[in-house]
Amino acid sequence: MSTVERQLEDLKSKIIGEVPDDISISDVKYEGPELVVYTRDPKKFAQNGDLVRKLASKLRKRITVRPDPDTLSHPESAREEIMEVIPEEAGVTDLDFHADTGEVIIEAQKPGMVIGRHGSTLREITQRVGWTPEVVRTPPIESSTVSNVRNFLKQEREERREILERVGRQIHRKEMADEQWVRITTLGCCREVGRAAFILSTAETRILIDCGDKPGAEGEVPYLQVPEALGAGANNLDAVVLTHAHLDHSALIPLLFKYGYDGPIYTTEPTRDLMGLLTLDYLDVAAKEGRTPPYESSMVREAIKHTVTLEYGDVTDIAPDVKLTLHNAGHILGSSIAHFHIGDGLYNVAFSGDIHYDDTRLFNGAVNEFPRVETLVMESTYGGRNDYQTDQEDSERHLQEVINRTHEEGGKVLIPAFAVGRSQEIMLVLEEAMRKGEIPEMPVHLDGMIWEATAIHTTYPEYLRDDLRDRIFHEDENPFLAEEFNHIDGGEDERQEIVDDGPAIILSTSGMVTGGPIMSWLRHLGSDPDSRMVFVGYQAQGTLGRRIQNGWDEIPINDRNGSGRSNTLTLKMDVETVDGFSGHADRQGLENFVRTMNPRPEKVLCVHGDESSTQDLSSALYHEFNMRTFAPKNLETFRFK
């Protein structure tokens, strides 16, 4: 008998000793980080509402209780009883029964009403029918991404369970190493923005945090070939943790599966869906521009299949000696600060990913309270000594002035925007400004993936700022459904109609003008001196967006037929930058994040910023807080214990 099997037998004995005599325990298995308990008496389990919580506390495990398949009532009769229990106003749109796990997936417009106070409705469902309910939200705006991901995971349930059982055995294996140490190796995004990737390793475990590309720099990818990463084989990685879905952090996650990785990806549920959306578009854009994509779409599906989603604040075992907790980073939907607790109190490391410290229209500000943190790996995008962003209210007034001026001159406002995060922030600003009469009512055309990304935002309102979440719950108040917003399908004829029509605002990807539909809009509007391009997000070095921002007016534009040949466009439209809408904290926000961090770390690695930004921030934190700080280069390794 293996160590894990002995461990499961021991856990089964402990559970039997804890539950009442009239509740049978037929099997106990690991599925990923969770302990799954099978019983022939699910209704009795449900009647004792505190039993699962007590077991989880006693065993220090995340526990899911499932009924033995042969104890389940027939789905048709169960459906009728479930619908009797759930209030009609919950808006149930689908019930999907899975006999292999004894779960019924309940899709509803108002999941909270299905859950009930402290889970009371869920327990009543199990008491009545024996099935274990799992609740998902019906998107207020239909999202093909969410629908495709859910359907794909439904089709792959059997293989996914096999993956999770294998992952569970890896997590709970016996520790083999005698030594104790912690190392971080930088594989990218050091003294540069983009290609984020780090290896966190112990004597027992190796974890990859993020794996992105570098905007505007084709071929510059993380140093995955080094022995610390994939050089010794992809399956030497125990886990991958993804902080958020932006391509400079997620683009090359599917590539790992091409190289033979077969382990878990830990992230939040919205990040999983956004990763699927953005990486598939990444492949599509590469093909349209005549570049060879680095992996096939099947690898994106593999990544989704291997993803284990976590909620903010859940402490989760991901290796024999590592626990992971994700916290809100305030950057984009589902973005996380990844906190690692290593060993039995040995060491704690937090990776900030990208953070926004203050509240925005979309999100609550980043969390910076942790049980312990000895080392912080922190982004420095706006870490330069002069990187102070405009106050948000001033930024919004500036944007309104630009729109009003352009409207008076008969032009159109073209805003290059990241599909995820900045687009939704700008949509909220425009919706309120038109509602209050601060700018004229006019169409706001959404090109590229912006509408689909917005639909995903409305699927997960619990990840949004509290007041915005409440508005989305009331369909007639949902700001994203305002009549000014027009989703276009991206056809050239439709774009030409918009060009020929009256005043309008156009939000289009890509946000750094590195490809996508924004290039078509440059062809249509670039020679119009009455129109304006307005930058509202960070433009990385080497991107066309940064060059236009710096005054370039001779713009290379690829032929529409995808031949790869470039023509030159003389840019006559005005170009303006409106600061203050970035999803990143500015210099003051980064300093405040560290100043108020509880506890304050002993060491800080300043990464994900231009060379001067990382060095400026590192120096400032050292002088202000008397802590050890570093501005590492790529391929450096830091040993901490």
Side-chain angles (χ1 to χ4, degrees):
M1 184 182 290
S2 71
T3 304
V4 173
E5 286 168 341
R6 281 197 297 271
Q7 192 181 128
L8 288 170
E9 283 295 321
D10 181 51
L11 285 168
K12 183 178 178 180
S13 297
K14 288 181 179 177
I15 292 169
I16 290 171
E18 291 290 329
V19 302
D21 293 339
D22 61 344
I23 295 181
S24 64
I25 304 298
S26 51
D27 201 4
V28 176
K29 292 182 178 180
Y30 283 127
E31 286 189 13
E34 292 193 342
L35 184 67
V36 180
V37 178
Y38 287 89
T39 177
R40 297 185 62 81
D41 305 293
K43 296 180 181 180
K44 292 178 181 176
F45 244 109
Q47 287 166 3
N48 192 333
D50 289 335
L51 185 54
V52 173
R53 184 181 56 79
K54 289 177 180 176
L55 285 174
S57 177
K58 179 93 173 177
L59 303 175
R60 300 179 69 186
K61 303 284 184 187
R62 290 170 57 184
I63 291 179
T64 296
V65 176
R66 289 188 187 149
D68 280 342
D70 58 357
T71 66
L72 297 170
S73 58
H74 191 275
E76 282 308 312
S77 60
R79 180 185 300 272
E80 292 178 10
E81 290 202 61
I82 289 170
M83 293 307 293
E84 287 178 9
V85 173
I86 299 173
E88 188 175 339
E89 52 268 36
V92 174
T93 54
D94 191 27
L95 293 178
D96 192 14
F97 293 86
H98 298 276
D100 56 335
T101 60
E103 293 173 304
V104 53
I105 312 299
I106 304 172
E107 187 173 295
Q109 294 167 350
K110 298 178 180 178
M113 301 192 73
V114 181
I115 295 168
R117 186 174 175 81
H118 303 305
S120 58
T121 307
L122 296 183
R123 287 196 296 276
E124 186 177 350
I125 290 170
T126 302
Q127 289 175 38
R128 293 272 293 264
V129 300
W131 292 80
T132 301
E134 181 182 328
V135 190
V136 295
R137 184 181 307 282
T138 306
I141 301 173
E142 187 176 348
S143 164
S144 59
T145 299
V146 172
S147 177
N148 289 340
V149 167
R150 288 178 179 177
N151 288 333
F152 172 68
L153 292 176
K154 187 193 305 182
Q155 295 165 11
E156 301 293 329
R157 281 179 73 89
E158 191 169 331
E159 185 176 347
R160 184 166 159 78
R161 279 183 67 197
E162 292 174 2
I163 292 169
L164 289 174
E165 285 189 21
R166 185 178 70 249
V167 169
R169 289 174 176 271
Q170 278 292 101
I171 291 171
H172 298 95
R173 69 185 187 270
K174 183 181 178 183
E175 291 189 46
M176 304 299 292
D178 295 326
E179 299 178 89
Q180 286 194 320
W181 44 261
V182 180
R183 296 192 305 188
I184 293 174
T185 300
T186 58
L187 305 181
C189 86
C190 291
R191 304 192 183 191
E192 62 180 356
V193 174
R195 59 170 172 176
F198 303 90
I199 291 286
L200 174 66
S201 53
T202 71
E204 184 74 36
T205 302
R206 191 170 297 177
I207 299 163
L208 176 67
I209 297 96
D210 290 344
C211 194
D213 74 344
K214 186 172 181 178
E218 185 185 347
E220 288 194 45
V221 299
Y223 291 91
L224 297 173
Q225 72 275 21
V226 301
E228 286 281 337
L230 306 187
N235 274 325
N236 278 346
L237 289 177
D238 291 272
V240 174
V241 175
L242 177 59
T243 60
H244 67 284
H246 274 156
L247 289 173
D248 58 337
H249 293 254
S250 75
L252 300 177
I253 293 280
L255 185 66
L256 303 173
F257 294 89
K258 180 177 179 178
Y259 288 150
Y261 180 64
D262 198 29
I265 300 167
Y266 295 97
T267 194
T268 62
E269 193 171 5
T271 298
R272 177 199 63 194
D273 294 358
L274 290 170
M275 173 186 69
L277 173 69
L278 295 178
T279 51
L280 287 173
D281 183 72
Y282 175 76
L283 299 181
D284 186 49
V285 169
K288 286 178 179 176
E289 294 179 352
R291 295 183 281 114
T292 302
Y295 48 82
E296 303 294 324
S297 60
S298 60
M299 296 298 101
V300 177
R301 291 191 288 274
E302 282 299 310
I304 290 170
K305 189 193 304 179
H306 285 75
T307 297
V308 178
T309 59
L310 307 179
E311 294 184 8
Y312 291 149
D314 283 352
V315 180
T316 304
D317 291 303
I318 65 169
D321 60 340
V322 180
K323 296 181 188 296
L324 167 68
T325 311
L326 300 180
H327 300 275
N328 172 41
H331 174 60
I332 65 167
L333 183 70
S335 60
S336 303
I337 297 169
H339 177 274
F340 297 89
H341 178 81
I342 300 162
D344 188 11
L346 176 69
Y347 207 77
N348 290 259
V349 180
F351 288 79
S352 76
D354 290 345
I355 55 173
H356 198 292
Y357 181 57
D358 298 314
D359 292 350
T360 65
R361 283 180 175 267
L362 273 176
F363 305 112
N364 297 322
V367 168
N368 66 346
E369 290 199 9
F370 310 94
R372 269 179 56 191
V373 177
E374 280 76 45
T375 290
L376 170 66
V377 182
M378 187 167 77
E379 71 124 320
S380 314
T381 313
Y382 288 111
R385 59 172 55 91
N386 297 316
D387 287 343
Y388 293 96
Q389 292 183 37
T390 309
D391 174 79
Q392 186 163 331
E393 289 186 8
D394 290 341
S395 301
E396 293 181 11
R397 277 194 293 270
H398 184 189
L399 180 61
Q400 290 171 18
E401 289 168 7
V402 171
I403 292 170
N404 285 327
R405 196 181 338 132
T406 308
H407 182 270
E408 289 168 5
E409 294 168 0
K412 294 177 173 61
V413 176
L414 176 61
I415 303 177
F418 304 115
V420 178
R422 284 329 88 209
S423 291
Q424 290 72 38
E425 186 91 15
I426 297 299
M427 287 171 71
L428 293 175
V429 172
L430 297 177
E431 184 270 338
E432 183 178 291
M434 289 186 192
R435 178 161 41 85
K436 293 182 174 180
E438 291 162 340
I439 61 174
E441 291 185 6
M442 68 184 94
V444 179
H445 302 289
L446 310 174
D447 203 351
M449 297 179 299
I450 293 171
W451 185 247
E452 179 61 24
T454 302
I456 297 173
H457 278 71
T458 66
T459 305
Y460 299 105
E462 60 271 26
Y463 285 84
L464 302 176
R465 185 170 167 166
D466 300 344
D467 56 344
L468 176 58
R469 178 190 62 208
D470 294 341
R471 291 183 69 192
I472 289 172
F473 285 156
H474 298 88
E475 188 172 332
D476 57 342
E477 296 181 22
N478 188 337
F480 297 118
L481 294 174
E483 61 182 14
E484 290 83 10
F485 297 127
N486 173 45
H487 170 223
I488 65 176
D489 63 11
E492 289 300 315
D493 290 344
E494 190 173 6
R495 291 191 184 112
Q496 187 60 54
E497 287 177 13
I498 291 168
V499 171
D500 295 337
D501 205 355
I505 300 168
I506 300 147
L507 270 65
S508 176
T509 55
S510 72
M512 295 189 191
V513 200
T514 53
I518 191 67
M519 308 309 292
S520 174
W521 287 110
L522 279 175
R523 281 193 294 267
H524 282 295
L525 294 173
S527 58
D528 178 9
D530 294 327
S531 292
R532 281 182 175 81
M533 174 180 273
V534 182
F535 288 106
V536 295
Y538 181 77
Q539 305 299 307
Q541 284 186 355
T543 62
L544 183 55
R546 173 68 77 94
R547 292 173 182 140
I548 293 173
Q549 198 176 41
N550 288 343
W552 274 35
D553 56 10
E554 297 294 319
I555 309 301
I557 301 286
N558 286 342
D559 284 346
R560 298 183 194 183
N561 60 15
S563 67
R565 293 194 302 272
S566 288
N567 297 319
T568 300
L569 168 75
T570 300
L571 196 66
K572 295 181 180 177
M573 68 191 313
D574 281 351
V575 175
E576 296 208 32
T577 297
V578 179
D579 292 321
F581 290 112
S582 174
H584 297 266
D586 67 357
R587 169 64 173 267
Q588 188 66 57
L590 293 169
E591 289 183 350
N592 287 343
F593 181 88
V594 176
R595 178 180 292 106
T596 61
M597 191 168 167
N598 183 26
R600 192 176 291 170
E602 300 165 3
K603 303 180 184 69
V604 179
L605 275 59
C606 296
V607 302
H608 198 284
D610 298 340
E611 185 165 356
S612 61
S613 299
T614 54
Q615 291 178 331
D616 283 355
L617 184 61
S618 175
S619 175
L621 296 179
Y622 166 73
H623 287 292
E624 188 167 354
F625 304 120
N626 193 29
M627 55 175 53
R628 294 187 65 189
T629 62
F630 307 86
K633 297 178 181 178
N634 290 330
L635 293 177
E636 287 196 59
T637 294
F638 295 80
R639 178 167 176 154
F640 295 107
K641 196 76 174 178

